[in-house]
Amino acid sequence: MKLGIIKERKNPPDRRVVFTPEELVRLQNEHPEAHVKVESSDIRVFSDEAYSSLGIEVATDMTDCDVLFGVKEVPVEALIPNKKYFFFSHTIKKQVHNRKLLQAILEKNIELYDHETIVDSNNRRLIGFGRYAGIVGAYNGLRGFGIKYELFSIPKAETLKGKAELIDKLKRQTLPNIKIVLSGRGKVGMGAKEILDGIKIKEVSVNDFLTKIYTEPVYTQIDVLDYNKRLDGQVFTNQDFYKNPTEYTSDFERFTKVADVYMAGHFHGNDAPDILTRDMLQASDCKLKVVADISCDVDGPIACTIKASTIADPFFGYLASENKEVPFTHPGSVMVMSVDNLPCELPKDASEGFGEMFMEHVIPAFFNGDKDGILQRAKMTENGKLTERFAYLQDYVDGK
């Protein structure tokens, strides 16, 4: 079996890669029946020489590979027919801008395995860059607060070497006694928590966060039942919320009345209520000054996320009274950070972590007959058709 690491061709350039040079060496040592090959790239965080110096083949022609691994969407014209591909296709939610990509994949008889569809038997995602989105998003949120109030100016994350350097830069700053609310306990939320804990911000309970006054910066990490409540007033478990999201409404307003910074690292499921509404942001007692929407669902559950911002220009102001973007210096605005490709700012760390997860959860399936069904569940297309698990995308493919 010949495995290929393809060059990232999407703009803006993405420097991440599925496997670092060291991980490919490990892969070949553990599975000598596999041959690996890397497509030459002048943008990848690891140079061609970093691979070739470890004895890994670097080439420009990948047509002899059986399986091809990338990070971002592959341009239609670069797709090689009759191959197996792994990359983030951004099609499983019927994203209109990628319909032609999925159509081309079917036309070219490609087997597509989207990184987002690699799940265990309980449908839990096994790999992703979420942790690094959380790490960079929390850093950006605090960086934005410093800029907005002219308290400090620290470099962009993309100019730093890794998480340790991000923490070091933040540790040198003095924060006032702000309150930070962090939503989400998955990979994204826990990544953000790594930054807050790393700079020794005190974690407090939800009740203390809502009721007590502090002389130092504090944060609380909230789960779905902390910011949602049943319409009938009953109290159940998280599972009830996941099963019956339409029976709930947002209870986040109690946090907007006391929090200065909101870091959104939650997963927002279909039919779940909006979390931070325009009405909440317009309320006279809303204290929020910065919203770092790490999850970045545009026009989604966070009303001020009216667009995705960019690494080059990460911050903008949102004026709730007029529901529009304004300069973040506008006195009536909340500063928003809604970069949708945050892990790109730490390409080395993100690539190392991703490769480790891939080696643990996915690569064994190629050599053990896929005994745990990892590949079977992840396969979106086969023989020019959608697989049964992804048949719901047929109307999307048909342009309906």
Side-chain angles (χ1 to χ4, degrees):
M1 181 182 294
K2 198 162 193 176
L3 310 179
I5 310 303
I6 56 175
K7 175 180 178 177
E8 296 298 319
R9 291 176 166 84
K10 187 177 179 181
N11 275 314
D14 193 317
R15 302 182 68 211
R16 293 174 294 172
V17 65
V18 175
F19 293 110
T20 67
E22 290 75 17
E23 286 297 331
L24 285 186
V25 170
R26 177 186 162 200
L27 193 160
Q28 290 196 135
N29 287 339
E30 293 182 8
H31 303 284
E33 65 270 47
H35 178 73
V36 296
K37 182 178 180 180
V38 174
E39 186 174 9
S40 178
S41 170
D42 57 356
I43 61 167
R44 191 179 289 129
V45 67
F46 301 98
S47 68
D48 288 354
E49 206 267 331
Y51 288 95
S52 60
S53 65
L54 294 179
I56 297 162
E57 180 185 0
V58 178
T60 55
D61 182 4
M62 305 297 282
T63 55
D64 60 339
C65 294
D66 304 299
V67 187
L68 297 162
F69 300 95
V71 177
K72 287 290 189 70
E73 299 99 311
V74 177
V76 168
E77 64 274 11
L79 290 168
I80 305 172
N82 307 311
K83 301 294 182 183
K84 294 180 172 66
Y85 272 93
F86 285 74
F87 58 85
F88 287 108
S89 71
H90 298 294
T91 58
I92 62 174
K93 294 182 180 178
K94 302 185 178 182
Q95 292 95 322
V96 175
H97 61 285
N98 281 329
R99 177 186 282 120
K100 288 182 180 178
L101 173 60
L102 187 53
Q103 290 170 336
I105 285 167
L106 292 166
E107 289 167 5
K108 292 173 183 283
N109 191 36
I110 287 168
E111 276 187 27
L112 173 62
Y113 301 78
D114 191 302
H115 296 313
E116 286 192 71
T117 67
I118 298 171
V119 297
D120 65 13
S121 57
N122 294 313
N123 217 37
R124 288 189 295 253
R125 282 186 63 181
L126 294 173
I127 61 170
F129 289 103
R131 177 191 171 206
Y132 301 94
I135 288 170
V136 178
Y139 177 86
N140 283 358
L142 294 175
R143 177 173 176 261
F145 187 88
I147 291 171
K148 182 175 176 68
Y149 292 101
E150 300 180 348
L151 296 172
F152 51 82
S153 179
I154 54 178
K156 288 186 175 183
E158 65 173 339
T159 68
L160 304 176
K161 292 179 180 176
K163 186 185 86 168
E165 199 165 345
L166 268 60
I167 289 172
D168 181 63
K169 292 293 182 187
L170 285 170
K171 268 186 171 180
R172 297 182 186 185
Q173 316 311 317
T174 301
L175 284 168
N177 58 329
I178 58 172
K179 287 184 172 182
I180 302 165
V181 57
L182 167 63
S183 60
R185 293 184 178 275
K187 289 183 173 65
V188 176
M190 298 311 289
K193 188 179 192 301
E194 286 184 51
I195 291 292
L196 298 177
D197 291 343
I199 61 175
K200 309 298 183 187
I201 292 183
K202 182 178 181 179
E203 183 176 9
V204 299
S205 70
V206 169
N207 187 61
D208 285 352
F209 186 87
L210 294 171
T211 59
K212 291 185 177 181
I213 297 172
Y214 293 89
T215 57
E216 62 183 315
V218 299
Y219 83 94
T220 194
Q221 186 177 21
I222 59 177
D223 208 346
V224 289
L225 294 189
D226 295 315
Y227 58 90
N228 292 289
K229 60 183 178 182
R230 274 190 67 104
L231 293 165
D232 60 12
Q234 296 186 71
V235 179
F236 288 105
T237 63
N238 283 16
Q239 291 307 312
D240 180 68
F241 172 79
Y242 299 139
K243 290 179 182 177
N244 306 295
T246 57
E247 300 296 317
Y248 286 77
T249 188
S250 175
D251 195 24
F252 190 73
E253 191 166 16
R254 58 191 188 138
F255 293 98
T256 67
K257 294 176 180 180
V258 299
D260 302 282
V261 177
Y262 173 31
M263 296 180 177
H266 55 267
F267 170 79
H268 189 258
N270 293 335
D271 298 323
D274 288 346
I275 299 169
L276 174 59
T277 66
R278 184 182 170 193
D279 285 344
M280 292 179 195
L281 288 165
Q282 287 188 91
S284 59
D285 58 355
C286 178
K287 283 194 64 183
L288 281 178
K289 301 170 181 69
V290 175
V291 174
D293 189 355
I294 306 168
S295 297
C296 188
D297 289 320
V298 177
D299 296 325
I302 309 299
C304 53
T305 304
I306 54 177
K307 71 171 190 178
S309 57
T310 64
I311 292 171
D313 191 15
F315 307 113
F316 64 92
Y318 173 76
L319 191 61
S321 60
E322 299 183 34
N323 191 37
K324 71 176 186 180
E325 178 184 348
V326 294
F328 62 71
T329 53
H330 189 294
S333 72
V334 60
M335 177 192 255
V336 182
M337 188 291 302
S338 56
V339 176
D340 63 357
N341 58 341
L342 288 163
C344 293
E345 295 203 59
L346 286 184
K348 183 175 183 292
D349 283 18
S351 297
E352 288 170 347
F354 195 85
E356 289 170 6
M357 288 183 282
F358 217 96
M359 277 294 295
E360 178 183 354
H361 296 296
V362 185
I363 290 300
F366 286 98
F367 304 98
N368 65 16
D370 192 26
K371 65 182 180 66
D372 298 315
I374 300 293
L375 300 178
Q376 189 60 37
R377 282 189 295 272
K379 188 190 299 181
M380 291 181 62
T381 61
E382 186 176 31
N383 298 323
K385 296 180 180 179
L386 293 166
T387 59
E388 183 178 352
R389 188 177 176 90
F390 296 94
Y392 72 91
L393 293 171
Q394 190 62 56
D395 62 340
Y396 166 67
V397 170
D398 294 339
K400 296 178 183 176

